[in-house]
Amino acid sequence: EADIYQTPRYLVIGTGKKITLECSQTMGHDKMYWYQQDPGMELHLIHYSYGVNSTEKGDLSSESTVSRIRTEHFPLTLESARPSHTSQYLCASKDRRNTEAFFGQGTRLTVV
Amino acid sequence: AQSVTQPDIHITVSEGASLELRCNYSYGATPYLFWYVQSPGQGLQLLLKYFSGDTLVQGIKGFEAEFKRSQSSFNLRKPSVHWSDAAEYFCAVTRNGNKLVFGAGTILRVKS
């Protein structure tokens, strides 16, 4: 069973608020990822990290930012939430070998 | 750029019937190939993966997939579907084991 956790699972928040979505994994994986998933759509990579102090933007432009101060922790922050940020955000991690990515259960964000 | 096509947005099958979900990818070389399943409100769970070798791979929950290089396809199959298989299924590829590119997903409905 995968040991990757996302909190909160669900979040409804007002426009303009600052939010941080948490993602933690206890598997010691170097690589971590954030995907954005809209209903009925594919997952889009928005951020990734290959290790501590390493962060890169993904294929889909996002106004969010990430940090990787510790191996196990990869939080995503929106400085000023907007309704267009309403989506599901999935965090994943994998080790440096070419094996599977493990996914968290996701955070469903609604900005009103 | 890599791309993944899942041509069927929805598929409905009767319980006990066989299932095939289609996946085609676009990439010059053979990428690493994956099938994930996502139940409502959950993260993604890996069903199976193909890296090399035998082109017919077995996964969890009775699923299998066949890699066909000539058709750039990696179709998922199950001989007898159970009601608990109702979920959304995602095909994914990665060239170097770093970033996964997902298809848009196929929603499977199972009728009793």
Side-chain angles (χ1 to χ4, degrees):
Chain A
E1 187 168 324
D3 294 316
I4 180 165
Y5 307 99
Q6 290 185 242
T7 57
R9 289 289 310 279
Y10 302 93
L11 179 62
V12 180
I13 200 162
T15 298
K17 299 292 185 183
K18 177 180 178 179
I19 58 171
T20 296
L21 309 184
E22 302 289 348
C23 176
S24 295
Q25 50 95 7
T26 58
M27 298 172 282
H29 288 170
D30 292 323
K31 301 178 182 179
M32 296 189 74
Y33 308 83
W34 277 103
Y35 288 87
Q36 184 173 342
Q37 182 186 26
D38 293 321
M41 303 293 288
E42 61 263 48
L43 284 75
H44 291 287
L45 181 66
I46 53 175
H47 298 283
Y48 61 99
S49 167
Y50 291 161
V52 171
N53 295 325
S54 154
T55 60
E56 302 286 345
K57 289 192 176 296
D59 304 320
L60 179 69
S61 175
S62 174
E63 294 168 341
S64 58
T65 59
V66 293
S67 63
R68 189 86 184 277
I69 298 173
R70 303 198 314 268
T71 298
E72 62 271 21
H73 195 214
F74 191 41
L76 180 145
T77 298
L78 278 165
E79 291 292 333
S80 179
R82 295 207 301 269
S84 60
H85 297 139
T86 295
S87 188
Q88 173 156 255
Y89 294 84
L90 286 165
C91 181
S93 73
K94 69 193 301 287
D95 64 26
R96 61 186 64 189
R97 298 168 296 169
N98 293 325
T99 54
E100 67 184 273
F102 292 91
F103 282 81
Q105 291 188 301
T107 294
R108 188 167 295 279
L109 172 65
T110 302
V111 183
V112 297
Chain B
Q2 298 173 70
S3 68
V4 180
T5 302
Q6 293 181 245
D8 304 304
I9 298 174
H10 297 100
I11 282 186
T12 300
V13 299
S14 298
E15 191 169 15
S18 63
L19 170 71
E20 182 168 33
L21 303 182
R22 296 182 289 165
C23 173
N24 293 94
Y25 65 90
S26 171
Y27 181 62
T30 300
Y32 301 115
L33 299 155
F34 305 82
W35 273 100
Y36 282 86
V37 60
Q38 184 180 34
S39 298
Q42 301 297 313
L44 276 71
Q45 180 184 21
L46 181 70
L47 285 175
L48 45 78
K49 59 191 176 188
Y50 174 79
F51 289 168
S52 64
D54 192 347
T55 56
L56 184 64
V57 294
Q58 303 297 320
I60 62 171
K61 304 184 180 185
F63 285 92
E64 66 178 27
E66 185 172 13
F67 168 61
K68 292 186 177 180
R69 184 190 307 274
S70 61
Q71 299 176 17
S72 296
S73 69
F74 189 56
N75 294 349
L76 182 72
R77 301 195 295 247
K78 186 170 185 178
S80 178
V81 169
H82 187 262
W83 64 267
S84 60
D85 294 324
E88 188 163 16
Y89 292 79
F90 291 91
C91 182
V93 305
T94 180
R95 179 186 62 185
N96 53 13
N98 287 332
K99 293 188 284 181
L100 280 169
V101 176
F102 285 86
T106 298
I107 296 173
L108 172 65
R109 299 189 178 112
V110 180
K111 58 182 181 181
S112 55

